[in-house]
Amino acid sequence: MSISNKISELSKLDLLKRAKEHIFSTGLNDGASKLCRANMKYGLAQFQIIQEKHGFEPKATFISSPDETISRNNFRWNSGLGYGGRLNWGDGTDKIIFLNVKPNCCGILVGGLEEIPDPYDLIKTIDKVKSIELYDNDILINWDYGVSNHFINCFETKILSNIDFPPYMFMIHGSAPEFRDDKYGIGLYVDVSKTLKERAIEEQTKLGRQYILLDSDAKEYLDFNKKAINFSTKKREIIANELFGTDYEIICNASHQFLKDYNNMYLGSNCTDPDCELVSTNIFPTALRADVACYLFKGKKSFSDITLKNNNFLERAENLELLELLTNADILPHGGGYMLPDVSRVQKVLEYKDQRYFACELVKDNNKLKIIRNVKELQFEYRGRDVILKTLQLDLGEIIARLNPVFSLKL
């Protein structure tokens, strides 16, 4: 493909080809991971056009983790963004932030217990806790544990390393909806916060619309995002204290959906960078379905040269001058990700008035098409151990404990 000096002058088709080159996928290649990649090309192409326009290198890149999947947030999905991996658009210091990524500071607290609570007692405690107002400083905590895939699970620990873990563990999965609007500052979500929408620069490209912040506005947003991450982390601890008293030990409390710096967004993926101030320990959870075991990993530097070669990433990364980014990908799946049981692949994308319709072949009959715009309405399941096997195959981490489910409490 001949690359013009200005990528904004490329045809739509060439822009999408160029964006596809910047997707390094380690997904399971099932229907959901194929849909993710088909959509992500559009987001990356938009990012690259906007980067060039503002004088940055147009090299926005997506490195997916094995749980690569769709985003069930319609705004994010319609912005050309998938889920499960790391989105990069600079060296971390370029003062440009793409707001359509919508960081929600979601994470998982893993706590160790000497004995497992009775589920009925836990339900009673939760009911009592929900009726009182909990605060972190002056911020009222929004109990979001009945929402989406947020949950509280209890497990029996099977130690697979020389680390002496407690016999039981629990997980609390939750985010920071308190910071989405502009009550405590600029706000995290451009489609929710009026202040943020007013400050954002709207960029209309031939492939869709993005909202960005530059310079001092980007700095203010990044500072606010750090505040939200710290709040979300503290909130999981406050709720754990209320539910389990002080009898538990924090094993880890890691975010997996957050803006790491100006140019790196972890979209449902653990960040295993030991130098990152937002990463407090080298222990990370990968939570699967309620009926299969979850795992605790020790993060590794990813990707190794061997992994890059085996996945045909090496030459492409060298040609695109992205080798350093790939050898410091620092990703590890935080869960199994959504699986679409009836979708086998994306046959084509139909575009009409800035909307994308994905014509998908069905698993049982590839002559039949399911044409989708908003993926939120799709029937989905959660993936199982395949994600763990792929993680080990890619050498992204080392299993240090298996957590066998005792009960899962979806409130």
Side-chain angles (χ1 to χ4, degrees):
M1 180 181 86
S2 67
I3 296 212
S4 131
N5 291 338
K6 289 201 71 169
I7 66 160
S8 55
E9 290 164 7
L10 296 175
S11 68
K12 252 188 189 186
L13 199 62
D14 282 345
L15 279 166
L16 291 171
K17 266 188 192 163
R18 187 183 191 279
K20 188 182 175 185
E21 286 285 289
H22 289 75
I23 296 175
F24 293 86
S25 165
T26 69
L28 297 186
N29 213 23
D30 55 12
S33 93
K34 287 172 185 164
L35 250 174
C36 171
R37 297 198 298 273
N39 194 40
M40 206 80 199
K41 284 187 305 199
Y42 286 85
L44 288 182
Q46 292 170 52
F47 279 32
Q48 290 172 358
I49 292 167
I50 296 162
Q51 282 180 297
E52 181 183 72
K53 177 182 167 182
H54 289 280
F56 299 106
E57 263 200 284
K59 282 166 64 166
T61 300
F62 180 58
I63 306 166
S64 76
S65 39
D67 53 347
E68 168 184 77
T69 188
I70 57 169
S71 170
R72 293 183 70 244
N73 180 291
N74 282 339
F75 181 87
R76 196 185 289 120
W77 179 258
N78 292 330
S79 303
L81 301 169
Y83 211 69
R86 173 182 167 189
L87 196 50
N88 165 278
W89 57 90
D91 66 2
T93 63
D94 292 348
K95 285 192 179 167
I96 175 171
I97 290 175
F98 288 91
L99 296 172
N100 298 45
V101 298
K102 291 176 71 169
N104 66 10
C105 309
C106 193
I108 294 177
L109 180 146
V110 180
L113 297 165
E114 286 308 313
E115 49 189 63
I116 208 145
D118 177 77
Y120 185 69
D121 291 341
L122 194 54
I123 289 166
K124 282 197 298 192
T125 308
I126 289 168
D127 190 54
K128 196 171 83 197
V129 172
K130 278 168 83 173
S131 67
I132 57 175
E133 290 191 343
L134 292 177
Y135 286 86
D136 175 34
N137 294 325
D138 56 345
I139 299 172
L140 176 65
I141 285 176
N142 171 346
W143 179 278
D144 66 333
Y145 291 88
V147 181
S148 178
N149 56 353
H150 295 179
F151 51 75
I152 294 166
N153 287 358
C154 287
F155 307 90
E156 190 176 13
T157 312
K158 177 86 175 146
I159 298 172
L160 300 171
S161 62
N162 55 6
I163 303 172
D164 190 22
F165 287 121
Y168 300 99
M169 293 200 195
F170 66 87
M171 281 187 189
I172 288 181
H173 185 196
S175 64
E178 298 85 348
F179 281 70
R180 289 176 190 175
D181 61 20
D182 46 13
K183 189 175 179 185
Y184 301 109
I186 196 168
L188 289 174
Y189 277 17
V190 70
D191 57 338
V192 176
S193 164
K194 217 170 134 215
T195 306
L196 185 56
K197 185 83 173 273
E198 281 164 8
R199 298 273 281 282
I201 301 165
E202 186 180 320
E203 292 284 2
Q204 185 66 47
T205 73
K206 59 178 101 172
L207 288 160
R209 182 175 56 198
Q210 297 287 333
Y211 291 93
I212 64 164
L213 292 176
L214 297 169
D215 305 325
S216 59
D217 287 333
K219 183 176 186 324
E220 185 183 335
Y221 185 82
L222 190 63
D223 292 344
F224 181 77
N225 165 77
K226 277 206 178 111
K227 196 171 137 185
I229 293 168
N230 292 334
F231 167 79
S232 185
T233 307
K234 186 78 190 300
K235 171 180 166 177
R236 289 187 291 274
E237 280 181 36
I238 290 170
I239 286 171
N241 293 344
E242 292 291 335
L243 300 186
F244 298 98
T246 47
D247 298 343
Y248 76 95
E249 174 194 337
I250 294 178
I251 307 297
C252 57
N253 188 2
S255 297
H256 52 245
Q257 212 278 45
F258 68 103
L259 194 61
K260 181 190 180 192
D261 50 40
Y262 287 111
N263 314 130
N264 284 287
M265 174 72 194
Y266 278 81
L267 269 167
S269 180
N270 286 310
C271 168
T272 58
D273 176 5
D275 299 328
C276 174
E277 60 177 45
L278 300 166
V279 178
S280 56
T281 169
N282 192 23
I283 297 175
F284 304 94
T286 301
L288 300 172
R289 298 194 310 259
D291 59 332
V292 291
C294 295
Y295 294 84
L296 292 183
F297 278 92
K298 203 154 104 183
K300 285 191 180 179
K301 202 88 200 128
S302 52
F303 296 97
S304 68
D305 283 355
I306 291 171
T307 305
L308 290 173
K309 277 186 194 129
N310 290 346
N311 288 275
N312 299 322
F313 289 169
L314 191 62
E315 199 181 330
R316 185 156 50 109
E318 283 173 344
N319 292 342
L320 295 169
E321 296 176 350
L322 291 170
L323 196 55
E324 196 184 331
L325 179 66
L326 269 287
T327 49
N328 296 282
D330 298 321
I331 54 171
L332 186 74
H334 85 287
Y338 307 117
M339 173 200 145
L340 306 171
D342 57 347
V343 171
S344 74
R345 76 179 192 100
V346 181
Q347 191 193 77
K348 60 184 171 206
V349 184
L350 311 168
E351 291 177 53
Y352 179 70
K353 285 189 176 172
D354 261 359
Q355 301 286 354
R356 288 181 293 283
Y357 295 82
F358 297 89
C360 299
E361 291 177 8
L362 298 182
V363 170
K364 291 201 168 128
D365 184 350
N366 59 11
N367 294 319
K368 292 196 177 122
L369 293 178
K370 189 176 204 171
I371 300 172
I372 308 150
R373 182 167 75 92
N374 283 336
V375 290
K376 190 174 184 170
E377 276 62 54
L378 287 178
Q379 160 199 358
F380 70 90
E381 293 167 9
Y382 290 107
R383 298 190 188 104
R385 282 198 190 91
D386 290 354
V387 167
I388 302 297
L389 295 174
K390 188 81 197 258
T391 303
L392 294 173
Q393 192 187 331
L394 294 161
D395 202 24
L396 299 180
E398 175 193 336
I399 293 178
I400 50 178
R402 186 173 76 230
L403 309 182
N404 295 321
V406 178
F407 65 83
S408 167
L409 201 48
K410 178 85 175 83
L411 307 172

